[in-house]
Amino acid sequence: MNERKLIGISPFHAAGLLRGFVVSGRWPDTTKEWAQFLALAVQVASMPGLLATSTVFGVREELPDDPEPGVVGLVLADGPVVGETAVTPGRYAQHQPSALLMLHPPSETTPSLPECAGAASGCVLLPGLPHLGLEHRAAWVEAESDGTVTAMRSRVGLDPISDPDTAVLAMLLAS
């Protein structure tokens, strides 16, 4: 039996829209665990109406008000990718999160298979420090609202500009 503490993830919403996730137990610490977190987040995002548009979520190692025992932090919606309330350059200048996610609702996802209409998708970027030998890592997931993961991949040592999602997330981190 693996004696590592489990990772708990609880989505929460306000006004009918997905606002983030409460993380308990411990933070994911490998690319694989972040890909698993992303799979759950994309499954939630695939629920009709929970995510209005492509949205950036940032990791916060701060606790919510009156947290339950074991809560380690939050992954909060910082805003949409485009539009009046879009996440602006400089948002992460004071505190760079250890991970950024971008979730796309079904209306903004082109499914990998024709029979997967209604799937949502997402990406998680785990920024590295390449000049110190710590490579950038990322994962991508596509999933349906019934829980089916229709595509999943991860990569270590990627050039963030090689993918549109990681390019946007890296630009937000760098600005």
Side-chain angles (χ1 to χ4, degrees):
M1 171 101 182
N2 186 350
E3 295 197 22
R4 291 194 63 178
K5 192 180 253 187
L6 295 177
I7 301 167
I9 303 164
S10 301
F12 64 91
H13 65 91
L17 294 176
L18 180 63
R19 298 295 184 201
F21 303 86
V22 176
V23 181
S24 59
R26 65 179 178 85
W27 285 103
D29 62 6
T30 65
T31 307
K32 176 184 172 184
E33 289 177 346
W34 276 106
Q36 292 168 331
F37 178 102
L38 179 63
L40 175 75
V42 171
Q43 290 167 334
V44 170
S46 70
M47 300 305 290
L50 265 185
L51 195 64
T53 188
S54 295
T55 304
V56 175
F57 292 76
V59 167
R60 306 281 194 295
E61 294 185 17
E62 56 199 45
L63 299 178
D65 296 335
D66 195 25
E68 292 293 320
V71 170
V72 296
L74 303 165
V75 178
L76 295 177
D78 288 330
V81 176
V82 295
E84 277 185 33
T85 59
V87 178
T88 57
R91 164 82 178 174
Y92 306 107
Q94 297 300 318
H95 178 69
Q96 187 175 57
S98 57
L100 274 184
L101 289 82
M102 186 182 313
L103 298 179
H104 304 287
S107 63
E108 296 183 18
T109 296
T110 302
S112 57
L113 300 169
E115 63 268 23
C116 296
S121 61
C123 171
V124 59
L125 175 65
L126 306 164
L129 300 168
H131 61 283
L132 296 177
L134 301 171
E135 299 176 293
H136 299 299
R137 301 174 290 151
W140 299 264
V141 171
E142 177 185 292
E144 297 179 294
S145 61
D146 69 357
T148 304
V149 174
T150 55
M152 177 186 263
R153 65 184 173 100
S154 58
R155 189 145 176 235
V156 174
L158 81 143
D159 177 2
I161 200 125
S162 65
D163 173 81
D165 286 347
T166 57
V168 168
L169 295 174
M171 183 270 316
L172 289 170
L173 289 171
S175 60

